[in-house]
């Protein structure tokens, strides 16, 4: 491969690292082409899975400002570049790896910070962004309802207290 081709490949990988929310490095040794195709589909629409050259990928990661452990670049490597929700893609990788033990998650990057394979598996255990946002919205709605009831209770309690005070004064005024 000529130098300009390598430079273009490094530039493309650098751009992918910079434009991605996350990148997960995997070892795919022993997987068939059909299995890789299935893996690409399981990652979702917001992820791109590419087989890469270790040296060029390491150079590209460094140019993108990402420091990765050299051990991640041992053996055949493929990278899942995630532009959408990283949880969805991490779940896809985890689930595929359960069914296909030849896929090994080595590590990765989330928002420019290096992650170990265990951290990526923990990320896969999280609920999706949409589920977390809906839970947050539900909790906020509940708190708003409680606040509204409290604010409605204060004036009515004040009115009952004033009425009771008037009634007591009327009784005292009539008793004298």
């Amino acid at each position: 491969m000529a130098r300009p081709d390598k430079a273009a490949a490094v530039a493309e990988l650098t751009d992918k690292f910079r434009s991605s929310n996350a990148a997960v490095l995997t070892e795919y040794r022993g997987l068939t082409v059909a299995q890789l195709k299935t893996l690409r589909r399981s990652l979702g629409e917001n992820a791109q899975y590419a087989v890469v050259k270790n040296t060029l990928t390491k150079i590209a990661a460094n140019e993108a400002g990402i420091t990765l452990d050299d051990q991640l670049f041992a053996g055949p490597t493929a990278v899942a570049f995630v532009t959408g929700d990283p949880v969805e893609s991490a779940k896809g990788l985890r689930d595929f790896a359960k069914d296909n033990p030849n896929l090994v998650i080595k590590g990765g990057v989330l928002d420019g910070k290096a992650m170990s394979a265990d951290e990526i598996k923990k990320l896969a255990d999280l609920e999706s962004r949409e589920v977390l946002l809906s839970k947050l919205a539900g909790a906020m709605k509940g708190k708003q309802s409680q606040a509204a009831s409290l604010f409605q209770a204060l004036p009515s309690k004040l009115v009952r207290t004033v009425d009771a005070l008037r009634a007591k004064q009327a009784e005292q005024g009539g008793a004298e």
Side-chain angles (χ1 to χ4, degrees):
M1 184 188 273
R3 286 299 283 172
D5 291 344
K6 288 183 180 182
V10 168
E12 182 182 347
L13 287 170
T14 302
D15 184 49
K16 285 183 181 181
F17 272 115
R18 287 183 179 147
S19 64
S20 299
N21 296 338
V24 181
L25 283 80
T26 63
E27 182 175 323
Y28 63 93
R29 187 187 333 241
L31 293 176
T32 65
V33 173
Q35 288 172 323
L36 287 174
K37 189 175 180 181
T38 303
L39 172 59
R40 285 185 174 100
R41 272 192 247 121
S42 71
L43 291 177
E45 296 177 7
N46 298 324
Q48 190 177 28
Y49 190 74
V51 174
V52 295
K53 291 190 177 272
N54 289 333
T55 307
L56 301 181
T57 305
K58 186 174 180 183
I59 293 169
N62 287 334
E63 285 184 11
I66 299 167
T67 305
L68 294 172
D69 188 12
D70 289 341
Q71 294 175 352
L72 296 178
F73 299 103
T77 303
V79 182
F81 293 102
V82 183
T83 55
D85 184 13
V87 174
E88 178 186 344
S89 298
K91 284 182 184 193
L93 284 168
R94 179 199 60 197
D95 295 344
F96 187 85
K98 282 181 185 175
D99 297 334
N100 300 283
N102 287 336
L103 180 75
V104 178
I105 298 172
K106 297 180 182 181
V109 179
L110 177 64
D111 293 328
K113 295 180 182 151
M115 294 180 70
S116 68
D118 290 334
E119 291 171 325
I120 291 172
K121 290 174 185 171
K122 287 179 185 175
L123 180 67
D125 292 336
L126 290 176
E127 293 174 332
S128 72
R129 182 176 189 272
E130 290 78 20
V131 171
L132 291 174
L133 286 174
S134 64
K135 284 185 175 182
L136 177 64
M140 290 174 69
K141 183 179 177 186
K143 293 297 178 189
Q144 288 175 343
S145 297
Q146 286 177 344
S149 339
L150 178 66
F151 292 138
Q152 286 176 349
L154 289 175
S156 63
K157 187 173 182 180
L158 177 65
V159 169
R160 286 193 303 267
T161 305
V162 169
D163 284 343
L165 185 59
R166 281 186 189 152
K168 187 174 181 181
Q169 285 178 346
E171 284 178 19
Q172 287 177 354
E176 292 179 19

